Amino acid sequence: MGQIVVQMKVSNEFLIPFIGLKLGKHQFDYQIDKSFFDRFEYDEFENCAIVSTVVLEKKTTMLELHFKHKGTVNVPCDLTGEYFDLPIKGKLDLVVQFGDTFNNDNEELLILPHGEHQIDVAQFIYEMIVLSIPYKRTHPGIKDGSLKSEAIEKLEQLAVKKKSEEINNNNTDPRWDQLKKLLTDK
């Protein structure tokens, strides 16, 4: 999993104050929309509707965070340019330990300074979601044939034209036939 380095303004909504929590599991749910990504200046899609869940397990010497998300992002199809809701989902696990200085070099381990009392989970939610969006984005209507657009009609016309050219090209030049025969007579 690659690391994405983008900072955003801290929002209290994504700060989890773990110091007052009892030992055990605690669940936090977030509704993620386009405004969340605007804070990161990320504009790869038009809109989104994502539910993200963070389960924080507080232990005596460390924290374990389990992130999950599921939803859709509204993106253009790579072939037609038509916008559609692309389903996405993903998860991320993070161990939080305490040390002398802050360190987030390891993507699965976060070290917070002793005395820290809260954790900002926004960056982790952002990275988890962005990394779950596939590079290839194909409208589902292309696969089932239900999408009608100018781009698809043009592609179909070109495909028919190419097939007819292939049929016409079956009449080969007799000079090449002798050379092809040499290749197949081995």
Side-chain angles (χ1 to χ4, degrees):
M1 194 161 150
Q3 191 168 8
I4 300 171
V5 181
V6 175
Q7 289 295 343
M8 67 161 254
K9 300 169 196 149
V10 175
S11 169
N12 289 340
E13 180 186 356
F14 296 97
L15 285 176
I16 299 177
F18 54 81
I19 200 76
L21 297 177
K22 295 179 181 178
L23 294 180
K25 293 183 179 182
H26 306 273
Q27 182 169 319
F28 302 87
D29 298 317
Y30 301 99
Q31 297 290 328
I32 306 295
D33 59 17
K34 182 72 169 90
S35 64
F36 175 81
F37 292 95
D38 291 342
R39 295 180 210 158
F40 288 94
E41 298 179 5
Y42 182 82
D43 59 358
E44 291 292 311
F45 46 76
E46 291 297 303
N47 210 340
C48 68
I50 302 167
V51 175
S52 180
T53 302
V54 179
V55 175
L56 183 147
E57 187 172 354
K58 186 175 181 180
K59 299 185 175 184
T60 51
T61 59
M62 66 178 192
L63 307 170
E64 286 184 9
L65 288 104
H66 305 284
F67 298 82
K68 284 193 319 188
H69 75 281
K70 187 175 185 177
T72 59
V73 290
N74 191 260
V75 293
C77 173
D78 292 335
L79 297 173
T80 64
E82 298 283 330
Y83 279 84
F84 70 103
D85 288 333
L86 176 70
I88 60 166
K89 65 180 180 176
K91 61 183 181 175
L92 171 76
D93 294 322
L94 179 70
V95 173
V96 180
Q97 294 182 338
F98 299 91
D100 294 331
T101 59
F102 176 88
N103 185 329
N104 65 351
D105 292 342
N106 186 322
E107 60 194 36
E108 295 171 2
L109 173 67
L110 173 66
I111 298 176
L112 292 177
H114 292 292
E116 190 67 49
H117 64 282
Q118 62 187 8
I119 182 170
D120 183 3
V121 295
Q123 181 73 29
F124 301 105
I125 292 172
Y126 167 78
E127 291 180 12
M128 172 184 62
I129 293 172
V130 169
L131 291 172
S132 73
I133 300 171
Y135 290 113
K136 187 173 182 182
R137 303 161 185 178
T138 306
H139 195 292
I142 290 176
K143 293 175 189 165
D144 65 19
S146 64
L147 180 67
K148 300 294 178 209
S149 73
E150 286 182 35
I152 294 215
E153 288 172 17
K154 188 66 176 173
L155 286 172
E156 287 172 353
Q157 287 173 1
L158 292 172
V160 169
K161 186 176 179 182
K162 186 175 180 182
K163 281 185 182 177
S164 65
E165 285 176 6
E166 287 174 5
I167 291 168
N168 292 338
N169 284 341
N170 284 341
N171 303 331
T172 58
D173 188 332
R175 294 173 292 183
W176 288 109
D177 291 342
Q178 292 302 321
L179 290 172
K180 286 180 185 174
K181 189 176 179 184
L182 288 174
L183 290 173
T184 55
D185 285 348
K186 288 183 180 178

